[in-house]
Each structure stands twice: as structure tokens, then as C-alpha cells.
Amino acid sequence: MVPTMEIPVTRASQSKINQVDFQNIQFGKVYSDHMFIADYDGKQWSDLRIEPFADLTMSPATSVLHYGQSIFEGLKAYKNEADEALVFRPDRNAARFNKSAVRMCMPEVSEDIFLNGLRELVKLDKDWIPDRVGTSLYVRPFMIATDEYIGVRPSQTYRFMIFTGPVGAYYSKPVRVKVEKQFVRAAEGGTGFSKTAGNYAGSLYPAQLAAQEGYDQLIWTDANEHKYIEEAGTMNLMLVIDDTLLTPPTSGTILDGITRESILTLAQDWGMKTEVRRISVKEIIQAIEQNRLKEAFGAGTAATVAHIQAIANDGIDYELPPVENREFSNKVLKALDDIKYGRAEDTQGWVMKVD
Ligand code: COI
């Protein structure tokens, strides 16, 4: 339990909550009433505060706009039947945020500031947590470089913020993905493991080309040979071949997904065989052709468990088994949801109660 800290709050004069259609929530379009802010002056984080959600004003010379020192996280808050707000594994996000910060030459944010800022914000905007099946309050912590200077160097000043918004599913149906062999998301020694804006910016053009061919996402392959699968960009990749759950290791090029890790833990607890190792595209295609690939899915905070309907490789679309027959991914999605919504006992200590 993280000790609470005093965070001054300026409340919004009028809530926007009545303008929201909670029956039709999409991902990432609506934001709650308040946001948490802290500023770094070159030495320490200070001026922690919660203010009404509002636009930022900044000089056109602000460093983040030019050189991309910008990192973020994504996590979710849920409501249980007793109307309490629950957040899933926020300590893991705080730790991953700081790994991203170090790689991007940005200051770390203490777990205290991260978790207390998050807790106070979610508590204040608790009414924004939707309660329909498949919905949650998405929490977006991020940090940007704020020096007004256009020489290339690490900024000395930074802003850390958290805002939230009610969300529905990130993918509304099973996804069709294309194995990408021309473009590269990340190479060893680069920034692939870090949740930095540039990783996502670089993925947009190849993803757009794939979307024009009818695919929802890419499966990135290794930068050297394009032989081994990496991640999908918005999620980690997991497969069930025969009776084994497989996923590539999180290396320097793959984000260390918290949903991925939670799924591995549950699978192991259930006695399922798991293998964390390099997986070649050839192995996947062979497994599909031999009917040994039972399930394929993406795992991520926003995406949760996103069933993969088809995988395209070298111009051929491979249709995968029907989603309703997928025993493991459907079971693990339900088990995770039961923990997140407080319907099952939290034996792993994954849930932080906010109030
Ligand atoms: C998340 O899963 O929360 C992410 O940050 C992925 C995102 C780019 C939507």
C-alpha cells in the first residue's frame, strides 16, 4: 500500500459527464473532468496538482515537439459490485514507465508520485468508470520534455501528467494481421522496449499500407532477417500450438507487456505448458498447415485479449480456427476480467483498490 500524499485539487466548475453516451463508448475519444500534473525543474518533481482537464499551451520551440522525448503508459480502472474503483497492476506500469524514462534520457518518476497521482485522480473521477461489460476507465500517464530550446540535447525540464477517459473495446472484432517483412519497428540497441512516442510514429506508415490491403495490424518481424515474430505494436503476440502457449521473449525490441506477463502467470498456474522463445514465421505457417495452431491472439492493456482471425504471410491469407472454439484465450480473457472487475479473488495481489 502506497502512503497517500497531499495533492491540491482544483475542481472543474462543471462536470462534462452528462454529455457522455455511456451506452456507446468507443476507445480514446472522451476524457474525464480532471488531470494530474507534476513538473520537473532539472532537479526534482514538484508542484503536484490536479486540475480540470484542459488544453496545454506551449512554445513552438518546446523540445518534445522537435526531438520526441515523450513516453507514456496505458492502464485501466474498473468498478466492482460494491462500487469500488480497482486498478490493475499499476505498480508494473510505474516500473515500466521508468525503464522508458531512462532509455529516453528523461527523469524517473517515483512510484509514490505515479501511484498517488493516479489514485487521487481516479478517486476524483470515479463516476467516469463505466460499468457495462467490456468497458473501463483508461488511464494515460505520460511525460514530455518542456525546455524551450531547439538544440539537440536532453531537455532539463519535463512535465508528467495523467488523464483518463471511459473506453470500450480497442478492437471491436477479431483482427486480421499481416506479417511485415519490409519495414522495421525496432532493432536491438534501439528503443523498441520503451513506450516512447516515436515507436508508434514509425509504425503508422507500414500499418496504413497494410490497412489499405484490409489488415487491422502488423506482426513485426526481427530487423536482421525478418524471420522471427516480435510484437504487433499495440499488443504482444501469443499463440497456442498443440497444447503449448508460446510467446516471443521481451528483449530490447519488444515491449514488456503487463497483460502478456499476467497471461503467462495464469497459464502456468493452470498447469499449461508455456514457452517463451523466438518463434519463426515458418514455424507458425507450418503449424497452421498441419492444423496444430489452435489459437493466436494479441495481449495488451487497450486490446486486452484480441483474437487473431487471419494471418497474412507473403501474399497468402491463412484463416485461423473459429474464435468460439478457442478454449485458452476465451478462458484467460474471462479469468483476467474476473480479477479486474473484482469478481474473483485477487490471489496474485494484482489489483489496487482506489478508495
Ligand atoms: C495500451 O495497451 O494501453 C497501449 O498503450 C497501446 C496503445 C498504443 C493504445
Side-chain angles (χ1 to χ4, degrees):
M1 184 77 170
V2 184
T4 47
M5 53 172 64
E6 220 25 71
I7 300 174
V9 175
T10 309
R11 281 178 171 269
S13 52
Q14 194 163 13
S15 173
K16 301 182 302 269
I17 200 163
N18 291 331
Q19 299 165 18
V20 179
D21 177 3
F22 278 91
Q23 302 307 308
N24 293 297
I25 310 173
Q26 293 172 24
F27 185 92
K29 298 223 163 146
V30 172
Y31 307 108
S32 320
D33 285 328
H34 299 92
M35 58 190 188
F36 171 80
I37 310 172
D39 287 313
Y40 187 81
D41 62 3
K43 292 196 182 69
Q44 60 181 8
W45 288 103
S46 61
D47 205 8
L48 278 52
R49 60 207 187 271
I50 289 178
E51 294 182 355
F53 183 88
D55 292 348
L56 303 175
T57 54
M58 59 173 77
S59 159
T62 304
S63 171
V64 64
L65 300 176
H66 304 270
Y67 308 123
Q69 272 187 297
S70 166
I71 59 172
F72 69 96
E73 272 301 322
L75 59 161
K76 282 175 172 172
Y78 306 82
K79 228 184 243 179
N80 67 10
E81 282 190 345
D83 209 37
E84 294 166 316
L86 311 175
V87 185
F88 187 69
R89 306 197 76 181
D91 53 325
R92 298 282 292 117
N93 293 88
R96 189 172 66 183
F97 192 70
N98 283 333
K99 281 197 191 139
S100 300
V102 170
R103 179 61 182 85
M104 299 309 292
C105 213
M106 300 166 90
E108 294 181 46
V109 173
S110 72
E111 187 178 85
D112 255 19
I113 294 179
F114 192 101
L115 294 185
N116 281 302
L118 189 151
R119 190 209 320 259
E120 292 310 308
L121 184 66
V122 171
K123 213 193 285 181
L124 185 64
D125 281 336
K126 195 177 125 185
D127 290 347
W128 285 80
I129 305 177
D131 49 17
R132 295 183 69 215
V133 176
T135 63
S136 57
L137 187 76
Y138 189 75
V139 181
R140 173 50 64 90
F142 70 104
M143 191 203 308
I144 53 171
T146 51
D147 276 6
E148 293 176 15
Y149 177 63
I150 54 164
V152 180
R153 64 157 199 217
S155 179
Q156 286 161 6
T157 61
Y158 294 87
R159 177 163 285 189
F160 170 59
M161 302 182 68
I162 310 176
F163 64 87
T164 72
V167 295
Y170 192 79
Y171 295 110
S172 52
K173 55 180 180 27
V175 291
R176 306 182 73 81
V177 295
K178 177 188 162 188
V179 177
E180 177 59 58
K181 294 183 177 167
Q182 181 189 356
F183 297 98
V184 166
R185 175 183 174 275
E188 280 301 336
T191 59
F193 69 90
S194 128
K195 222 162 160 54
T196 186
N199 287 342
Y200 295 81
S203 74
L204 297 177
Y205 179 63
Q208 187 179 54
L209 295 181
Q212 284 162 4
E213 297 174 60
Y215 302 107
D216 304 297
Q217 258 298 337
L218 297 173
I219 293 185
W220 295 101
T221 50
D222 69 284
N224 294 333
E225 303 178 277
H226 293 297
K227 275 190 181 164
Y228 298 94
I229 62 161
E230 299 247 304
E231 60 161 90
T234 49
M235 50 197 185
N236 294 110
L237 291 163
M238 306 190 99
L239 308 165
V240 179
I241 297 183
D242 298 323
D243 294 323
T244 304
L245 176 66
L246 290 134
T247 191
T250 54
S251 60
T253 58
I254 298 178
L255 192 82
D256 188 1
I258 295 159
T259 308
R260 169 190 174 279
E261 192 212 275
S262 308
I263 290 174
L264 279 173
T265 303
L266 289 177
Q268 284 155 3
D269 278 4
W270 296 339
M272 186 170 185
K273 204 165 143 218
T274 60
E275 287 179 16
V276 177
R277 61 164 173 83
R278 294 185 97 189
I279 305 163
S280 68
V281 177
K282 197 169 154 199
E283 179 182 354
I284 297 175
I285 300 304
Q286 272 175 359
I288 297 174
E289 287 173 341
Q290 296 164 354
N291 291 325
R292 293 171 46 236
L293 188 135
K294 306 272 168 32
E295 311 186 22
F297 57 96
T301 297
T304 63
V305 170
H307 297 292
I308 296 177
Q309 184 59 65
I311 298 178
N313 182 51
D314 293 341
I316 301 175
D317 281 3
Y318 296 86
E319 299 295 327
L320 304 190
V323 165
E324 55 279 13
N325 297 348
R326 300 189 190 180
E327 206 181 308
F328 176 74
S329 42
N330 285 314
K331 176 175 163 186
V332 85
L333 174 60
K334 179 172 182 314
L336 277 174
D337 276 352
D338 284 347
I339 297 169
K340 293 170 177 176
Y341 289 95
R343 297 189 292 251
E345 196 190 340
D346 176 25
T347 52
Q348 313 275 355
W350 282 346
V351 168
M352 178 177 96
K353 212 174 264 183
V354 160
D355 35 9

